[in-house]
Amino acid sequence: MSDKHFRPPGPLGFGGAPLGNMFNTVDEETAEGALVAAWDTGVRYFDTAPHYGQGLSEHRFGRVLRRYPRDSFVLSSKVGRLLVADESAPENPPFKEGLPFRVEYDYSSDGVRRSIEDSLNRLGLARIDIAFIHDLAEDHHGAAWEEVFETAMGGAAKALIRLREEGVIKGWGLGVNLVEPCRRALEQSDPDVFLLAGRYSLLDFSGLRELFPACVERGVHVVVGGPYNSGLLAGGKNYDYQEAPADKVAARDRIAAIAKEHGVDIRAAALQFCAAHPAVAAVIPGAKNAERVRTNAELMSQHIPAAFWEALRSSKLIPDDAPTPA
């Protein structure tokens, strides 16, 4: 991998969506405990966004991260949504009880600069290191996504390149749930890192085929979000933010059975599989409390025998060419 592009530290980072009250609420003490536990377990990469609880996650991040030397950690946030004060702001699913702001999309050059300034004010910090253009994909914009993408490439992307050149940020990319926008951004611009959620895991290999080879060739890094696929690989029932389809449940159950045979925790396998690809700089599972943070750190370092990965390959549960830790 080239060192031309900024690389966030890993292998384990902290994803901030849960601290924006994703799916259910988290009290301030619990949120603080999760972030402190992340720091204490050695995490030095933290990712948040204005979208997460309409600014709530950023406020919580700043409250804790301001305690530590700024050069000792890497922080990313997102652009593409602006928050407008509104006491009657509508619900912002999947976030509960967010702050009193209305969310408005803005992928323009001016919108990017305003978004970063607003994020810095919420964080109480003087800089972020990485800015991801958020949700620039079909799952959020429907059939109009290609037009929105072109607007962002002409506005947000160019603004972020200038901010990188000015030293305001160290890197930029897309923060999305789909592969295609990342592939197009590589073709049309000069990103440093992608935050790709759910598209590289033990249950989804689309990033492996459609994006990662080009990233390795260009020296562009990937942060893997959603390594548990919304919880299905961690004992839950959801996949991609909704009830899991039968084929994914069946695949999970087959992996779990092989894991049990080899004395492997399927959650450890999920995290370590994502981290093993050379394009991947960090994996950022969501965590709502300190116990879960500490568990993720332990899972990332657990020994997994090579025979387990060989069994997954021979059972055609992972591709033959997917890198594994052993």
Side-chain angles (χ1 to χ4, degrees):
M1 294 284 288
S2 164
D3 60 1
K4 171 188 174 185
H5 297 288
F6 182 72
R7 177 188 178 99
L12 193 62
F14 188 97
L19 299 193
N21 291 346
M22 189 176 191
F23 299 124
N24 51 59
T25 59
V26 179
D27 63 61
E28 293 296 331
E29 183 178 358
T30 301
E32 179 178 350
L35 285 159
V36 171
W39 184 272
D40 290 345
T41 58
V43 169
R44 293 297 181 268
Y45 171 49
F46 299 83
D47 174 74
T48 184
H51 182 44
Y52 302 159
Q54 295 104 290
L56 181 61
S57 177
E58 287 184 318
H59 274 287
R60 287 171 163 173
F61 269 51
R63 178 183 174 192
V64 172
L65 292 178
R66 286 195 299 272
R67 304 172 188 177
Y68 306 114
R70 183 60 190 88
D71 288 339
S72 64
F73 62 89
V74 168
L75 176 62
S76 58
S77 193
K78 317 289 195 312
V79 299
R81 287 182 175 93
L82 296 176
L83 302 184
V84 181
D86 185 348
E87 290 185 352
S88 60
E91 288 293 313
N92 184 33
F95 302 99
K96 307 286 188 181
E97 298 181 21
L99 299 181
F101 295 89
R102 182 177 72 256
V103 177
E104 294 184 354
Y105 285 110
D106 189 333
Y107 293 107
S108 69
S109 176
D110 288 344
V112 161
R113 290 181 179 269
R114 178 181 160 189
S115 180
I116 291 176
E117 286 296 326
D118 287 353
S119 287
L120 296 178
N121 286 329
R122 285 187 291 268
L123 289 159
L125 294 169
R127 74 172 190 271
I128 61 172
D129 300 292
I130 302 169
F132 291 114
I133 306 175
H134 205 185
D135 291 330
L136 189 60
E138 187 175 7
D139 58 333
H140 284 271
H141 299 286
W145 85 269
E146 292 178 302
E147 181 179 347
V148 176
F149 182 88
E150 292 304 318
T151 297
M153 287 298 100
K158 289 184 177 180
L160 291 171
I161 290 172
R162 287 195 296 271
L163 290 172
R164 183 181 63 190
E165 292 170 348
E166 294 166 7
V168 175
I169 58 174
K170 295 178 181 177
W172 73 277
L174 307 187
V176 291
N177 303 314
L178 298 174
V179 171
E180 179 61 16
C182 299
R183 191 188 65 78
R184 292 194 187 190
L186 273 179
E187 291 176 351
Q188 299 182 25
S189 192
D190 183 33
D192 301 279
V193 55
F194 296 118
L195 199 174
L196 182 63
R199 301 287 74 81
Y200 190 63
S201 74
L202 287 174
L203 295 173
D204 189 309
F205 312 103
S206 52
L208 180 68
R209 295 278 181 268
E210 302 170 27
L211 179 65
F212 286 14
C215 286
V216 171
E217 183 179 347
R218 289 271 297 273
V220 171
H221 309 289
V222 177
V223 173
V224 173
Y228 298 135
N229 284 120
S230 297
L232 187 59
L233 286 166
K237 298 180 180 180
N238 288 337
Y239 177 88
D240 271 4
Y241 314 107
Q242 55 192 341
E243 186 174 349
D247 64 321
K248 296 298 184 183
V249 174
R252 187 274 312 272
D253 290 347
R254 291 179 66 198
I255 294 168
I258 293 172
K260 186 175 181 180
E261 290 175 12
H262 291 269
V264 171
D265 190 316
I266 189 173
R267 299 172 299 172
L271 291 179
Q272 293 185 35
F273 175 78
C274 293
H277 197 285
V280 174
V283 182
I284 54 169
K288 285 188 164 130
N289 57 57
E291 180 182 4
R292 186 66 60 84
V293 169
R294 288 190 284 267
T295 296
N296 284 333
E298 293 166 4
L299 293 167
M300 186 62 93
S301 62
Q302 280 184 12
H303 173 70
I304 297 178
F308 166 75
W309 302 112
E310 292 165 4
L312 290 188
R313 284 197 180 90
S314 64
S315 301
K316 303 301 181 185
L317 288 166
I318 61 173
D320 289 340
D321 59 344
T324 55

